[in-house]
Amino acid sequence: MESQVISFDYVLTAKAGEVVDASAKGKPLIFISGQGQIIPGLETILLAMQPLEKKTVTIAAKDAYGLYDAGLVYKVDRSRLPNREIKVGDMFEVGRAQDFSPVTITAINGDEITLDGNHPLAGQDLTFAVEIVAKRPATPEELAHGHVHGAGGCHH
Ligand SMILES: [Zn+2]
């Protein structure tokens, strides 16, 4: 299927109805389909929608930020972390080979720090209230660059 450039407004709520994230007023999120720029479960739904259409959908954890993986929780010594003040809830990037991924500090016990490599929304079913603002085929240049050009995208 031809890649689409889709801009959409959204409000994201997680369990217990708590609003986690939302697009700013007048600033919809814009992305190119087929490039892994948004979570797969949501992309599938947006591709099937038309401009100005609204919908509220719940995406299962496995199609959102993945299932919670206890194997991504591990402990390190304080000396292996950046030399600055840290607290529970801090996030930073750790590199393993070329793969950099964000981790969250979930416990501090003396010099023993517990890190969690799961996305903060892993394991949660997510509800999105979405409205398609605009939708058009991606241009060859956009596909070559891997980002959107023009309004809401890259100007160069
Ligand atoms: Zn470009």
Side-chain angles (χ1 to χ4, degrees), residues 30-100:
I30 190 163
F31 75 102
I32 304 178
S33 68
Q35 307 218 355
Q37 295 181 357
I38 66 167
I39 59 173
L42 185 60
E43 178 164 312
T44 303
I45 285 160
L46 294 174
L47 280 170
M49 291 172 66
Q50 299 306 315
L52 305 184
E53 192 177 345
K54 294 181 186 184
K55 202 176 249 185
T56 298
V57 294
T58 297
I59 313 286
K62 69 175 173 51
D63 296 319
Y65 290 100
L67 300 174
Y68 190 83
D69 180 358
L72 294 178
V73 178
Y74 54 98
K75 296 183 198 308
V76 298
D77 190 81
R78 177 72 182 88
S79 63
R80 295 190 49 208
L81 295 183
N83 188 20
R84 61 172 165 81
E85 208 172 297
I86 55 170
K87 61 182 186 305
V88 169
D90 281 358
M91 293 186 75
F92 51 92
E93 305 242 303
V94 290
R96 294 176 208 144
Q98 273 107 4
D99 188 24
F100 283 85

